[in-house]
Amino acid sequence: MDFSIDERTRERLADAREWGRAAMRPAGLEADRLGAPLPVDHPYFAKALERGIGRTRWPGPAGRAAGDRPPASVVATLLLAEELAYWDRGVTIADPGPGLPETNVLAMGTEEQKERFLGPFLEPDRPRWACFGMTEPGAGSDAAAIRTHARRDGDGWILDGAKCFIGGASRADWLLVQATLDPAKGRAAQRAFFVERGTPGLGDFKIEKKMGLKAYESTSFTLRACRVPAANLLGGEERRESGGGFKTAMATFNAGRPIIAANAVGMGRAALDEARNFAREHDLLRDARTRDRLEAMARRIRMARLVCLRAGWLAERQRPNIVEASMAKALAAGVAQETTTLGMELLGAVAARGDHLIEKLYRDVKAMDIVEGTGQVQRVIIARSLVGLPR
Ligand SMILES: Cc1cc2nc3c(=O)[nH]c(=O)nc-3n(C[C@H](O)[C@H](O)[C@H](O)COP(=O)(O)OP(=O)(O)OC[C@H]3O[C@@H](n4cnc5c(N)ncnc54)[C@H](O)[C@@H]3O)c2cc1C
């Protein structure tokens, strides 16, 4: 395996480092201290837009180049995800852009839908967001159990249900909402619908309280007899019968796992640097217990990064990587929790005061074990695969 990077990736990483230090870290600390997401009119977002953040990967109707081209390789994408989360993972997710549902739309959307929903993200005139709503109060890990219901009504669809913990929901231009045509038919009956902001029946937005990652909003909302046009069914009319909605949603989560793992590695690395700086400043480096802790942090982070890059390396070669992606996510999220805990121990009472970056990282990393498939669920996938059971 070769994880070397080209000059362009090196430049992108250096650029991310500079942006992270100057803008992301301060914005993340500000949100954490206020205990609220960065408001949509926060100057951070205008600056992000100026840098080309918030654009779609979709090349546009004529295949014209989008401003912010994706990094050259999966390995480069993972290294970039690690670097950005090093500075602030919450701000990474708060960044404008089509976000999580972009992959679903690129995979399954009609050309008309790509133009309508991704088009505004080609050269955005203002920070714009989109979101993907799968989770419900009664359906988290078991995504097949969602109850949000869609029924055909003339030339449209009527949606009823409730979603929770959806990233960026109240500021999104459109929400890609996962719903079932028939709860008795499980995953085969799931479809996704574009619901535009302001659609009557979409409401009750409530920003959830979170222990960490406060820079971005995780929001619950309801759909009450919310009517969307037939053209808002992801994939168009042909998907009404043929389905594929559940599979595409799951494929999005599978593809995201190494990215979450890379984010966790970056957060662990930030904890290591903070702990090492603290030890240096307080003349603790001659203490063997301090060095033991730093060693344990560094060793675990290296291990997690290698497993994560291997998952990306396989994806790049279009080789099956579901088990590796699950291993990367399960391992890296755990490592990030262990390293921030070791950092908290090293700083002692200074960390416990609650105003040190280590303490923020300690709270921020927990979500890495929850989002896009919990640690337990990853371990179930790995274990079933080990004994030859279907995943
Ligand atoms: C910060 C944050 C951001 C999020 N963003 C989004 C978003 O943008 N869009 C979205 O749709 N959702 C989002 N979510 C929701 C997230 O996907 C769910 O929280 C996650 O799927 C877990 O669901 P749950 O919280 O209902 O826990 P549950 O599924 O109820 O699980 C509870 C516990 O049981 C364990 N468990 C469950 N099933 C099994 C099993 N089969 N075997 C072993 N153990 C099991 C879990 O690991 C967990 O420990 C977000 C959540 C958080 C915390």
Side-chain angles (χ1 to χ4, degrees), residues 32 210-216 360 363-364:
D32 193 65
K210 288 205 297 263
M211 66 185 283
L213 301 179
K214 299 193 188 211
Y216 79 99
K360 174 178 178 295
R363 286 182 285 107
D364 283 354

Side-chain angles (χ1 to χ4, degrees), residues 89 100 132-137 139-142 164-167 210 213 216 218 253 367 370-377 380:
R89 203 271 173 175
L100 199 56
F132 179 51
M134 169 70 95
T135 305
E136 299 180 359
S141 302
D142 185 8
C164 61
F165 259 99
I166 310 305
K210 288 205 297 263
L213 301 179
Y216 79 99
S218 298
F253 288 135
I370 301 174
V371 297
E372 298 190 30
T374 65
Q376 283 90 348
V377 168
V380 167

